Amino acid sequence: MRRLPRLLRGALSLTWSAARKEFAASAALQLAAAACMAAQILIVQRALSGVIGVAEGKEDISDVLPAILALAAVSTVLTFANIARTELQRLLGELVARRALDQVLDVSTGVELLAYDSPTFLDRLQRARTNAVSRPAQMATGLVGVLSALLTIAGVSAALFFLEPVFLVVVLLAYVPLWIATTRASKVIYRFNVVQTERDRRRDYLSYVLTRKEEAAEVRAFDLSGFFRRQYEKLWDERLAELRTVVARRMRVGLIGGMVTSALTAATLAVLVVFINGERMDLAQAGAAAAAVVLLGQRLQLLSGSAGSLYESSLFIEDFTSFVAAMPVLDAARPKDQAPDGFRKLRVDSVSFSYPTRDEAALDNVTLEVEQGQVVALVGENGSGKTTLAKLLAGLYQPSLGAITWDGIDVTKCDPLSVRRSVGVIFQDFAKYMLTAHDNIATGRHERFDLRDEVVRAARRSGADSFISRLPKGYDGRLGSPFLGGNDLSVGQWQRMALARAFFRDAPFLILDEPTAALDPRSEADLFENVRELYGGRTVLLISHRFSTVRSADMIFVLFAGRIVERGTHEQLMDIAGLYAELFTLQAAGFLDPQQ
Ligand code: ADP
């Protein structure tokens, strides 16, 4: 009861923002229905007294006719209002679902990348996304139901009050047990849903692993289907066992509530008989009052049922409202200053960075400089901070300490969108869009989406053109197998697509994180045969485990545990015989014949 006003407010504001017209129509109809229902009772009284009058020969049939016609008219309106309520609920459900999903997407695309490193955010995002599909219909049903029930209860109560106030009090009292029972039952299901969230997510994940192409090969190779399936079934079993208990409890509570209510309704009717006997009411009044009592009962039942629906969807409403509320804060927090279009000198000045989930710094006091047109490389062992530094330079993360300047302007204080505009980047875990070959490359700069010549040029540079032109539909061929007619590619070919996308972006600063990891040696050699031409004079930051691609860089930075421990050209670094020389020699030794 205490939460109902807050829930109503949340549900109302979401519904109102999604479907103003439909909701207003729905409310107007229910208001009309409420008026009709009150009128119906008074007309019933008139019709009954007319019929009794006719039977006793005191009235003519024609006297009763207007009441009967009015009854027909009112009941037509009521039938229509009932149908409209159900249908509008359906429409409202979908409109609200769409609006809710839109708002989830606003948040999911509006937050900075770092949010995706937080399990709490991911949890809430997942909950908001799945609930936004299923819950709005329930919420709309609850909302319109509560609204309709409240209005009609007011109407019928007014009519009943006019007939005999005692009944009004008795009927309302009779429904107190049912109301309590419904609230109890809703609470039980609410608690069940809260407890199950975590388990449901684990189960969803397992079903995901068992149905996705990405895991299909490994699941078979390691014979994991049975193993995962058992875990999945166990989670279902646990959920169902608890659901059975919950359902049994709800049935018990409902039955007791219903029985008490029925007993009280019977008592009401008994009082009615006593009143007629004592001639406190005439037969027509009693008939109308009986109809009103039944109607009021139905409406009270509708109210408790709808409030139950609303209560059950409250988990969603509250969760959703607070999740979406994060959005305006983000917009306000984004700096307004614009970064320049590129730089002559980039400087990373004493930059440190920590991930929110880890105490240890991923980057620790890093300082470096890059001149326009230079090719610089980052090398270091796994986890030394290379990708993190690349993400900071691409404007995807902001440093915890220190500054990144472009010709003296601190771009960490600028709108990150304006920084990213001048950066082309591909990561190790690059995206594979299930779109056409053209679109896969053109997404590199969607503002130039239609420039086929440029797309082909980028594909030639990355070596993707050779296999794209062999596809049945060439650049218009769909990539990836999930859709009909899609052509799946090898990992190396996908990597060339990603490279082509980065080239198509045509940004002055190019960041390539392991761009050749999936390429065979010949492809890699071809690609890097003429590096300067490949990059077309752009500034390039290259991360690679392959020293062959790194050695020609103008400057190499060696990272170790988040710090730069060595810097220089290949020759300089070999001369100092430190970490770089050690790693280089290790890799080179793998290719050399120990006999030589
Ligand atoms: P590299 O690219 O050199 O392999 P990374 O920059 O990916 O290294 O990682 C640097 C450090 O930060 C590692 O210790 C890694 O475990 C940690 N790290 C990377 N990504 C995350 C993340 N999303 N959340 C928490 N820690 C992370």
Side-chain angles (χ1 to χ4, degrees):
M1 259 308 233
R2 259 175 292 121
R3 291 175 61 191
L4 196 61
R6 194 152 44 92
L7 289 178
L8 267 175
R9 227 178 306 125
L12 259 174
S13 81
L14 189 57
T15 312
W16 187 246
S17 67
R20 204 157 295 193
K21 259 202 326 255
E22 290 75 8
F23 185 68
S26 191
L29 257 172
Q30 296 318 315
L31 198 62
C36 283
M37 221 169 245
Q40 193 183 27
I41 291 159
L42 301 179
I43 301 170
V44 162
Q45 187 198 353
R46 168 68 203 112
L48 277 178
S49 88
V51 170
I52 294 165
V54 171
E56 291 173 350
K58 288 187 206 146
E59 278 191 69
D60 197 55
I61 291 192
S62 60
D63 296 333
V64 197
L65 214 55
I68 292 174
L69 286 179
L71 209 56
V74 162
S75 115
T76 312
V77 174
L78 283 173
T79 312
F80 178 66
N82 242 343
I83 295 171
R85 181 165 53 107
T86 321
E87 296 309 318
L88 283 172
Q89 263 169 10
R90 203 192 303 273
L91 196 58
L92 278 176
E94 297 238 346
L95 285 165
V96 175
R98 182 188 174 169
R99 170 93 185 131
L101 278 170
D102 274 354
Q103 294 190 356
V104 171
L105 294 182
D106 284 349
V107 175
S108 75
T109 53
V111 294
E112 287 301 334
L113 185 63
L114 201 58
Y116 283 85
D117 293 317
S118 145
T120 326
F121 172 78
L122 292 176
D123 263 15
R124 298 194 57 194
L125 177 62
Q126 151 108 354
R127 262 212 314 272
R129 200 166 57 100
T130 35
N131 285 335
V133 181
S134 60
R135 294 290 176 187
Q138 190 181 30
M139 190 192 83
T141 311
L143 184 62
V144 177
V146 167
L147 184 80
S148 154
L150 282 176
L151 288 172
T152 44
I153 285 168
V156 178
S157 301
L160 192 57
F161 187 79
F162 179 75
L163 282 172
E164 178 53 75
V166 175
F167 288 125
L168 183 58
V169 178
V170 178
V171 175
L172 291 180
L173 274 182
Y175 277 86
V176 170
L178 191 66
W179 179 264
I180 295 174
T182 316
T183 320
R184 275 260 162 89
S186 296
K187 232 181 234 162
V188 170
I189 202 89
Y190 175 87
R191 240 181 267 134
F192 171 76
N193 282 334
V194 173
V195 172
Q196 295 298 320
T197 319
E198 167 68 20
R199 191 179 289 161
D200 287 354
R201 281 186 56 238
R202 271 168 44 214
R203 201 189 62 225
D204 279 352
Y205 174 70
L206 286 168
S207 89
Y208 195 63
V209 168
L210 288 170
T211 50
R212 263 162 48 104
K213 184 186 174 196
E214 281 76 357
E215 285 84 9
E218 199 164 307
V219 164
R220 280 157 186 74
F222 287 78
D223 191 18
L224 287 171
S225 45
F227 177 74
F228 284 147
R229 200 55 199 275
R230 277 191 295 282
Q231 294 186 8
Y232 170 84
E233 299 296 351
K234 185 163 169 271
L235 290 166
W236 255 125
D237 287 345
E238 285 169 4
R239 179 184 165 88
L240 283 172
E242 273 171 47
L243 187 60
R244 271 182 224 286
T245 326
V246 164
V247 166
R249 256 191 86 189
R250 275 168 66 96
M251 288 200 320
R252 255 197 323 273
V253 171
L255 187 65
I256 294 169
M259 270 161 41
V260 176
T261 299
S262 302
L264 284 169
T265 315
T268 317
L269 293 176
V271 173
L272 201 69
V273 175
V274 172
F275 277 10
I276 298 172
N277 242 355
E279 293 191 355
R280 191 169 156 177
M281 289 177 109
D282 67 21
L283 220 53
Q285 271 178 324
V293 166
V294 173
L295 266 181
L296 194 56
Q298 282 172 356
R299 294 287 130 177
L300 282 164
Q301 234 159 3
L302 176 68
L303 178 65
S304 52
S306 305
S309 280
L310 202 58
Y311 196 83
E312 280 172 36
S313 62
S314 64
L315 183 61
F316 156 70
I317 299 171
E318 290 182 343
D319 221 35
F320 181 82
T321 333
S322 65
F323 178 74
V324 167
M327 201 49 205
V329 180
L330 287 168
D331 271 342
R334 182 164 300 179
K336 297 283 174 285
D337 286 348
Q338 300 291 299
D341 298 329
F343 52 81
R344 256 170 287 126
K345 182 181 274 183
L346 176 152
R347 193 174 147 78
V348 175
D349 202 356
S350 315
V351 161
S352 297
F353 177 84
S354 304
Y355 285 98
T357 47
R358 288 174 65 123
D359 293 337
E360 206 182 324
L363 289 176
D364 184 8
N365 201 16
V366 169
T367 297
L368 59 85
E369 276 186 10
V370 182
E371 303 274 345
Q372 183 181 28
Q374 270 190 330
V375 176
V376 301
L378 297 180
V379 299
E381 290 164 285
N382 289 339
S384 55
K386 304 182 294 294
T387 302
T388 307
L389 182 54
K391 286 190 171 149
L392 281 158
L393 290 174
L396 291 165
Y397 291 154
Q398 301 303 328
S400 319
L401 285 174
I404 298 173
T405 59
W406 290 7
D407 299 330
I409 298 169
D410 187 354
V411 290
T412 63
K413 303 272 189 305
C414 297
D415 179 356
L417 287 175
S418 69
V419 177
R420 291 175 214 155
R421 218 168 285 139
S422 304
V423 182
V425 56
I426 64 161
F427 292 110
Q428 279 164 287
D429 48 354
F430 50 82
K432 301 172 185 171
Y433 297 111
M434 306 291 134
L435 305 169
T436 64
H438 173 100
D439 294 358
N440 253 285
I441 298 172
T443 37
R445 181 76 78 184
H446 60 82
E447 297 88 344
R448 303 193 300 150
F449 204 82
D450 296 326
L451 303 185
R452 172 60 66 91
D453 290 350
E454 292 295 318
V455 164
V456 175
R457 202 196 313 258
R460 289 216 174 103
R461 277 170 65 198
S462 79
D465 178 63
S466 57
F467 64 82
I468 296 175
S469 30
R470 285 204 304 275
L471 294 176
K473 287 192 184 163
Y475 280 82
D476 296 318
R478 199 173 272 286
L479 302 186
S481 51
F483 296 106
L484 209 61
N487 307 277
D488 208 358
L489 302 179
S490 74
V491 187
Q493 288 171 330
W494 274 116
Q495 187 151 42
R496 285 165 188 268
M497 294 303 299
L499 260 175
R501 186 157 59 238
F503 290 148
F504 181 77
R505 187 160 183 77
D506 199 21
F509 185 26
L510 197 55
I511 299 177
L512 306 174
D513 187 353
E514 297 285 1
T516 59
L519 298 190
D520 55 67
R522 188 192 299 279
S523 310
E524 190 185 10
D526 287 350
L527 199 64
F528 284 94
E529 195 180 1
N530 197 338
V531 174
R532 310 281 149 178
E533 196 182 303
L534 180 70
Y535 299 144
R538 290 180 187 80
T539 316
V540 177
L541 180 90
L542 182 65
I543 301 177
S544 183
H545 276 107
R546 307 238 186 138
F547 287 88
S548 50
T549 58
V550 163
R551 62 186 295 174
S552 63
D554 298 308
M555 180 64 110
I556 300 166
F557 299 100
V558 186
L559 278 143
F560 182 80
R563 288 172 156 272
I564 295 185
V565 289
E566 290 169 19
R567 62 184 79 205
T569 61
H570 171 75
E571 287 71 25
Q572 290 167 341
L573 291 172
M574 289 307 283
D575 280 349
I576 56 173
L579 182 59
Y580 179 87
E582 186 194 338
L583 294 173
F584 183 87
T585 318
L586 259 176
Q587 197 171 82
F591 295 112
L592 294 176
D593 185 344
Q595 302 304 316
Q596 284 180 357

